[in-house]
Amino acid sequence: GSRPDTVMLSGSAQPTPRLPSTHLLNRLLFSTPFRRRLTIDDFEIGRPLGKGKFGNVYLARLKESHFIVALKVLFKSQIEKEGLEHQLRREIEIQAHLQHPNILRLYNYFHDARRVYLILEYAPRGELYKELQKSHTLDEQHTATIMEELADALTYCHEKKVIHRDIKPENLLLGFKGEVKIADFGWSVHTPSLRRKTMCGTLDYLPPEMIERRTYNEKVDLWCIGVLCYELLVGYPPFESPSHNETYRRILKVDLRFPPSLPLGAQDLVSKLLRYQPLERLPLAQIMEHPWVRAHSRRVLPPSVQMAS
Ligand code: AMP
């Protein structure tokens, strides 16, 4: 018989998720009449939120519950043309199983003849990238808050053996209170050794071991948030150069220079993250306890989220 939509693609039976908020959301989102699958007719479509490579994202509302979401519409033809069906499937499965206040939720998905629809958490304050363009830099308070949020979100990912690999302002959205939401499909999966070592993303955030195409592990994410911390405070990434080759060269040398205006506490944190040797990078738990982060972070958790589990 037909079951309510489920995000499990691999077919293994999973119990319902543990968080109360999740139960509620699943009820809101999955309780279509006769438990049929969701379709586009279940939504009222609002303004476009943005354009992506494979389709557009719209503000949308479930007709039944009035629940607001971001609906990402991907065209099957484009995904097939690029041979990304399997990757999309795997990425949906991973993101759907990540439930954390600083990771954009993927609630569900459905498809019709031409399109795949992803039902995503709506991030009301949009892209961190745009905020950075507008204000050039972020202050210590906002940056330290983002560092704590990302360290917590990545701890959660790494426990689940998920490496992100692609943290950068373009991939971070902002929630209602300005809290950061990791939001992209650059998710890298479980076993890095089985992964093709593909190069993607901005050169500025590439860790040395990825440039040198060595095997890498979750410590690539420590490098990336070090680069991010620098860019948010300074206004440009630490190894930015006129040419690709020069950027590579500076990353491999870890040619790190701080503007004197950069607070010493932040310099200390960044220099402990941007280490050539992955094992020497400051672990996530110590980022959260770093004196500069503790002094400036104003993290608030949404009330519905319980940090247990
Ligand atoms: P993407 O295809 O994921 O790059 O999305 C294209 C653009 O849509 C992004 O750069 C954002 O500006 C916007 N966008 C995507 N997802 C969301 C969301 N969940 N909430 C708000 N804006 C979004």
Side-chain angles (χ1 to χ4, degrees), residues 251-267:
I251 292 170
L252 293 177
K253 280 204 311 179
V254 197
D255 180 14
L256 184 59
R257 303 166 208 182
F258 295 114
S261 58
L262 190 64
L264 288 177
Q267 291 191 26

Side-chain angles (χ1 to χ4, degrees), residues 190-232:
H190 307 114
T191 46
S193 54
L194 294 177
R195 269 191 64 83
R196 272 182 302 138
K197 290 178 244 169
T198 47
M199 305 286 264
C200 52
T202 325
L203 298 186
D204 284 299
Y205 280 73
L206 277 179
E209 60 270 34
M210 287 183 71
I211 291 176
E212 293 179 329
R213 294 171 178 271
R214 289 184 274 128
T215 49
Y216 56 83
N217 58 23
E218 76 287 350
K219 296 190 183 298
V220 294
D221 289 336
L222 298 170
W223 178 276
C224 293
I225 60 175
V227 174
L228 182 79
C229 188
Y230 186 109
E231 176 165 13
L232 295 182

Side-chain angles (χ1 to χ4, degrees), residues 130-148:
K130 284 194 187 127
E131 178 152 336
L132 195 59
Q133 279 186 324
K134 211 167 35 183
S135 50
H136 187 62
T137 58
L138 303 189
D139 61 18
E140 287 183 273
Q141 183 173 315
H142 198 177
T143 306
T145 304
I146 289 174
M147 290 301 284
E148 180 176 354

Side-chain angles (χ1 to χ4, degrees), residues 129-185:
Y129 182 70
K130 284 194 187 127
E131 178 152 336
L132 195 59
Q133 279 186 324
K134 211 167 35 183
S135 50
H136 187 62
T137 58
L138 303 189
D139 61 18
E140 287 183 273
Q141 183 173 315
H142 198 177
T143 306
T145 304
I146 289 174
M147 290 301 284
E148 180 176 354
E149 290 168 336
L150 289 178
D152 192 43
L154 290 170
T155 301
Y156 173 86
C157 289
H158 293 177
E159 277 167 6
K160 292 187 172 284
K161 304 289 175 219
V162 173
I163 308 170
H164 189 282
R165 287 187 329 152
D166 206 15
I167 299 284
K168 56 187 175 186
E170 296 89 322
N171 290 338
L172 299 172
L173 295 176
L174 299 170
F176 184 64
K177 295 247 152 113
E179 72 279 22
V180 90
K181 305 268 179 187
I182 303 177
D184 73 328
F185 275 77

